[in-house]
Amino acid sequence: MAPLTSRSIFGTDPVDEFASGIADWIWENSQGHEALEIEAKIGVMIDKSTNARIRLPIYTEAIVNMNEINARFESNMSMKQHQIYNKLLNDLVAYSAQNLPQNEHMAYQHRKETDTFYDEVSEITGQREHIRVTRDTRTKEIVPNGVVKKTRIADLNVFCPTQPFDYRISINIETPMYLPQSMSHPTFSREKDRLSYIQQNFSIDLTQVIEANRPSEPLHELEIEIRDVNYLMHLANEAQQIKGESDRVWTQFEDHVLVLLNNIRLLIRNHDFGSGGR
């Protein structure tokens, strides 16, 4: 038998419905908003009734309606897992510098920041607003874009039954704000020790979070953030013009979303880096 030369009887591969569906979800939920943040967090879906990871009768990655199964998403991991990802990402920085083109090199940043949160009543709307102020922990200076009001727009939760982690993609608005009038009574504070690994339009952030009310119970989080959401939305607008009435066209927008998914999936699959991860 000769090697296959045709991708299908139609002469092509079908469009990746999973990636294109998430791209459509991002497009639909970003309309009419500015100052968008798009990020994916790695964690587990927890059944609220058992406080254990959910179990579903499926074998492959799937988008889950959390409201239908009475579940919540937790983005924490163990210190050991944090260390595994730290080594993996450090090795990828070194590998990219030696083996990849310049534009694919991974950059590394280490930041220590302090978030304080304040509740204030808006003089314009009369509504209570939750404002986050982020400072450099060492200098106490407010970081660029460090005073914001974060508003959740939508979450999309993905269950990965063959892996120890699931993931959640979130769309938020981070509205720049003025400093709160009263800075003496924050409602909440936390310390963040963050390692950021940057490649092209993605930042992989590995963070230890210490909350003021639970200083002996640090959280360990891994997330992937779109660095330039405006560029992604530019691709999305171009995609709408290219696709028209057809949903069979694969554009740079869908491809950008697929690379986001590739990063998430490969991080999850390499959870056991150093002992046979892939």
Side-chain angles (χ1 to χ4, degrees):
M1 175 67 70
L4 295 177
T5 58
S6 175
R7 300 305 302 163
S8 69
I9 60 173
F10 297 92
T12 185
D13 289 318
V15 167
D16 184 330
E17 287 189 342
F18 196 92
S20 64
I22 292 178
D24 289 343
W25 174 83
I26 290 174
W27 169 254
E28 291 165 4
N29 285 283
S30 64
Q31 296 307 290
H33 301 300
E34 296 182 355
L36 286 171
E37 175 195 61
I38 299 176
E39 63 183 3
K41 288 194 174 186
I42 290 173
V44 289
M45 296 184 192
I46 300 296
D47 186 322
K48 292 181 181 179
S49 61
T50 65
N51 213 33
R53 191 182 182 197
I54 65 170
R55 299 182 66 181
L56 297 176
I58 58 175
Y59 292 101
T60 58
E61 180 185 61
I63 298 170
V64 176
N65 184 335
M66 299 285 271
N67 295 326
E68 294 292 329
I69 61 171
N70 190 35
R72 68 178 184 273
F73 184 88
E74 290 187 358
S75 59
N76 193 17
M77 64 178 61
S78 68
M79 178 57 142
K80 181 179 179 181
Q81 188 66 66
H82 180 109
Q83 292 169 342
I84 290 172
Y85 276 125
N86 187 197
K87 184 178 188 315
L88 168 65
L89 290 162
N90 285 341
D91 285 1
L92 287 173
V93 170
Y95 175 84
S96 71
Q98 297 174 8
N99 299 281
L100 299 182
Q102 180 73 34
N103 69 327
E104 295 180 14
H105 286 186
M106 289 180 67
Y108 165 87
Q109 293 179 351
H110 186 187
R111 304 191 305 275
K112 293 186 178 182
E113 297 175 341
T114 302
D115 289 338
T116 49
F117 295 84
Y118 303 85
D119 286 340
E120 280 210 340
V121 177
S122 170
E123 295 180 354
I124 299 174
T125 65
Q127 296 180 342
R128 187 170 295 277
E129 297 177 328
H130 198 49
I131 300 173
R132 184 187 73 204
V133 179
T134 303
R135 299 178 184 272
D136 182 298
T137 301
R138 183 180 62 83
T139 66
K140 309 302 181 185
E141 295 292 326
I142 296 175
V143 304
N145 302 315
V147 185
V148 299
K149 178 182 70 173
K150 187 168 182 173
T151 306
R152 179 66 52 86
I153 300 300
D155 291 325
L156 186 145
N157 297 279
V158 181
F159 180 53
C160 305
T162 63
Q163 301 295 334
F165 292 111
D166 311 308
Y167 60 94
R168 179 181 67 190
I169 302 174
S170 299
I171 301 176
N172 308 301
I173 300 173
E174 289 199 333
T175 307
M177 302 291 287
Y178 292 107
L179 275 172
Q181 294 181 1
S182 174
M183 301 284 287
S184 58
H185 299 290
T187 59
F188 178 71
S189 66
R190 65 188 180 194
E191 304 284 336
K192 297 184 301 189
D193 188 345
R194 172 165 290 173
L195 305 170
S196 294
Y197 300 85
I198 299 164
Q199 186 190 53
Q200 298 184 336
N201 200 24
F202 303 95
S203 178
I204 295 97
D205 298 328
L206 185 62
T207 309
Q208 177 176 272
V209 181
I210 298 178
E211 299 176 348
N213 58 341
R214 295 190 300 177
S216 62
E217 302 175 30
L219 303 174
H220 299 92
E221 300 179 347
L222 180 61
E223 62 186 3
I224 303 96
E225 184 171 345
I226 303 287
R227 297 176 61 214
D228 188 344
V229 176
N230 288 335
Y231 175 66
L232 182 67
M233 290 299 101
H234 168 72
L235 295 180
N237 277 289
E238 284 189 341
Q240 301 309 306
Q241 298 172 19
I242 293 170
K243 292 166 71 172
E245 297 298 321
S246 173
D247 60 357
R248 300 179 182 178
V249 180
W250 186 260
T251 71
Q252 290 186 57
F253 175 49
E254 282 87 3
D255 208 55
H256 216 85
V257 173
L258 179 59
V259 175
L260 170 65
L261 294 175
N262 288 346
N263 285 328
I264 299 166
R265 290 162 169 165
L266 288 171
L267 281 168
I268 290 175
R269 293 177 190 181
N270 281 278
H271 66 90
D272 56 352
F273 175 72
S275 59
R278 57 192 186 281

